[in-house]
């Protein structure tokens, strides 16, 4: 039964469905659930720092239930997208309802879309990577696959990494710098990959071009089927989805920098270069994303067997709570700046 605890991750799309179906003030139920109720539960439930034994880890790696719990997010996410744009385009809704519906779907796109895509994007199986990329499509963030796998994991916790927040940088500033720099970085990485494989820019091997085609086609399809209202709703929810991702990026490495060796190179990525949280609710809902140091130590390691490292800097709160705190920069700086190792502060 313990293996089924990750079913709790589906509570987010379930609450979002209730929000979209009942409308009215119910449209704000999803953001309240994600950023008020879950943080409250994290404060109530104890922190769990236990790691699996080798035998337990082997057992969990052999159970396909953990993979299917990820795959199920594909029909759920797309089902909610279709339901959402249909409701917006066929129902008479007030502006406040539209805002709530955008936030609700956007949260699902971030939690059950991009977050799951991140996990599957590290898999070696082509079908799993395909599902991961498909989950990035509704958020208009397919380039994340290239930048994250070929950029972030190489440059994490350095100034060269767009997804590493600087010390004293606000989350709002980070939204702009990270979003823009990651997209530019994705094209740069793509061009390098093409060059290394002797492929031309206009080639079927240029994934970034395909991503542009897929994303524009997605928006055009929404427009032609559901009209302007559906298009505005789908695009706005996409923005909410990828801004949630960038908020997570912000808290994952905030202020943590790799030092340079005597040879002028950056030290290898260590357990101390990612913020971790062992708050059980956030761990379950986010498929263990909060055990981020172990993920960087071995990116192909599946979520159900990620470990906690004593050397990793620990957040005083879970990821959902920390995301809320990051929205209030003075409070975030007051809590987090003193936890950043002094030698890492430029």
């Amino acid at each position: 039964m313990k293996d089924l605890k990750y079913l709790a991750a589906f509570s987010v799309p379930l609450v979002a469905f209730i929000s979209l179906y009942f409308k009215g003030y119910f449209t704000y139920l999803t953001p309240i659930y994600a950023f008020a109720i879950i943080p409250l539960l994290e404060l109530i439930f104890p922190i769990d720092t236990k790691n699996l034994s080798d035998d337990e880890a082997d057992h969990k790696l052999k159970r396909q239930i953990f993979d299917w719990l990820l795959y199920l997010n594909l029909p759920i996410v797309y089902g909610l997208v279709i339901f959402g744009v249909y409701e917006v385009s066929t129902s008479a809704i007030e502006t406040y309802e539209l805002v709530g519906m955008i936030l609700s779907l956007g949260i699902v796109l971030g939690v059950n879309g991009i977050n799951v895509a991140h996990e599957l994007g590290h898999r070696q199986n082509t079908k799993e990577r395909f599902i991961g990329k498909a989950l990035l499509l509704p958020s208009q963030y397919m380039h994340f696959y290239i930048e994250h796998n070929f950029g972030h994991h190489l440059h994490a916790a350095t100034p060269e990494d767009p997804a590493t927040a600087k010390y004293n940088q606000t989350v709002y500033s980070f939204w702009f710098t990270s979003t823009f720099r990651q997209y530019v970085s994705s094209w740069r990485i793509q061009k390098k990959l093409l060059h290394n494989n002797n492929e031309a820019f206009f080639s079927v091997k240029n994934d970034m071009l395909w991503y542009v085609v897929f994303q524009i086609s997605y928006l055009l399809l929404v427009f032609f089927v559901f009209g302007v209202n559906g298009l505005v709703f789908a695009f706005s929810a996409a923005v909410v989805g990828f801004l949630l991702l960038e908020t997570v990026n912000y808290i994952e490495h905030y202020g943590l920098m790799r030092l340079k060796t005597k040879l002028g190179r950056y030290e290898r990525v260590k357990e101390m270069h990612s913020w971790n949280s062992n708050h059980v609710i956030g761990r379950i809902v986010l498929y263990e994303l909060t055990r981020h140091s172990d993920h960087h130590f071995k990116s192909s390691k599946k979520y159900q067997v990620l470990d906690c490292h004593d050397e990793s800097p620990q957040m005083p709160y879970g990821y959902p709570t920390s995301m809320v705190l990051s929205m209030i920069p003075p409070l975030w700086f007051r809590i987090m700046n003193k936890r950043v190792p002094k030698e890492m502060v430029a």
Side-chain angles (χ1 to χ4, degrees):
M1 291 300 294
K2 288 184 178 180
D3 291 347
L4 296 178
K5 63 184 179 182
Y6 297 104
L7 284 171
F10 296 124
S11 63
V12 176
L14 175 61
V15 172
F17 174 76
I18 295 173
S19 298
L20 296 174
Y21 183 81
F22 287 102
K23 302 182 185 64
Y25 291 109
F26 278 99
T27 57
Y28 291 89
L29 185 60
T30 312
I32 291 173
Y33 175 69
F35 298 113
I37 297 176
I38 288 180
L40 180 61
L41 292 175
E42 285 191 317
L43 294 176
I44 296 174
F45 282 79
I47 294 174
D48 183 7
T49 60
K50 291 183 295 184
N51 292 329
L52 299 173
S53 67
D54 291 340
D55 289 339
E56 289 173 326
D58 288 339
H59 171 72
K60 288 183 180 293
L61 287 173
K62 293 175 182 176
R63 298 207 63 192
Q64 288 194 322
I65 181 65
F66 294 105
D67 296 328
W68 279 102
L69 286 172
L70 298 178
Y71 306 157
L72 282 173
N73 283 281
L74 184 64
I76 288 174
V77 168
Y78 275 88
L80 279 175
V81 169
I82 295 172
F83 180 63
V85 293
Y86 174 80
E87 288 295 305
V88 166
S89 61
T90 60
S91 304
I93 56 176
E94 301 290 338
T95 301
Y96 81 93
E97 292 177 297
L98 177 62
V99 173
M101 294 172 74
I102 289 171
L103 292 174
S104 293
L105 181 60
I107 290 171
V108 173
L109 294 182
V111 175
N112 299 82
I114 300 178
N115 181 46
V116 175
H118 163 257
E119 171 71 21
L120 293 174
H122 283 290
R123 302 289 178 86
Q124 299 302 310
N125 185 291
T126 302
K127 293 181 180 179
E128 290 182 309
R129 292 201 300 268
F130 174 81
I131 295 174
K133 294 173 185 177
L135 284 169
L136 291 172
L137 175 58
S139 292
Q140 300 289 293
Y141 232 59
M142 296 185 76
H143 65 279
F144 173 78
Y145 170 79
I146 290 180
E147 210 295 320
H148 182 82
N149 288 279
F150 300 99
H152 175 65
H153 273 266
L154 178 64
H155 300 296
T158 71
E160 284 75 21
D161 179 36
T164 295
K166 299 177 182 178
Y167 185 82
N168 271 338
Q169 182 179 16
T170 69
V171 69
Y172 305 107
S173 165
F174 182 77
W175 283 352
F176 288 99
T177 59
S178 182
T179 301
F180 176 76
R181 289 181 63 201
Q182 282 195 72
Y183 191 70
V184 172
S185 176
S186 300
W187 278 105
R188 187 181 299 118
I189 293 170
Q190 180 66 84
K191 289 176 65 177
K192 184 177 180 180
L193 292 173
L194 290 170
H195 176 76
N196 292 343
N197 290 283
N198 295 316
E199 296 284 351
F201 180 81
F202 291 102
S203 163
V204 293
K205 298 291 186 180
N206 190 331
D207 289 340
M208 285 296 292
L209 283 180
W210 282 115
Y211 297 160
V212 171
V213 171
F214 291 150
Q215 290 175 175
I216 292 178
S217 298
Y218 166 82
L219 293 176
L220 288 175
L221 178 63
V222 171
F223 172 71
F224 286 122
V225 177
F226 299 101
V228 175
N229 289 345
L231 176 63
V232 171
F233 173 73
F235 183 76
S236 299
V239 173
V240 173
F242 73 68
L243 287 182
L244 282 180
L245 162 69
E246 296 301 349
T247 306
V248 170
N249 281 338
Y250 177 81
I251 68 175
E252 282 178 336
H253 300 281
Y254 171 77
L256 302 178
M257 289 290 169
R258 287 150 60 187
L259 304 179
K260 286 191 174 183
T261 65
K262 293 181 180 179
L263 297 176
R265 297 178 179 178
Y266 289 110
E267 62 183 327
R268 67 178 181 83
V269 177
K270 300 178 182 177
E271 294 85 350
M272 65 180 68
H273 294 126
S274 302
W275 291 101
N276 280 251
S277 165
N278 287 299
H279 293 75
V280 293
I281 302 300
R283 284 178 55 190
I284 294 171
V285 172
L286 295 173
Y287 296 100
E288 303 293 351
L289 177 70
T290 64
R291 287 194 161 182
H292 206 59
S293 289
D294 201 33
H295 168 68
H296 271 276
F297 181 70
K298 189 174 183 180
S299 60
S300 61
K301 197 171 183 180
K302 293 187 175 182
Y303 73 96
Q304 68 265 30
V305 295
L306 288 174
D307 289 325
C308 167
H309 297 277
D310 294 333
E311 304 92 330
S312 303
Q314 300 296 319
M315 285 186 156
Y317 306 104
Y319 268 33
T321 306
S322 298
M323 292 171 71
V324 175
L325 291 176
S326 72
M327 302 291 179
I328 313 171
L331 183 58
W332 171 260
F333 296 148
R334 182 176 180 180
I335 293 173
M336 295 302 297
N337 280 6
K338 60 186 177 183
R339 289 176 167 79
V340 177
K342 293 182 180 179
E343 63 271 19
M344 293 186 183
V345 180

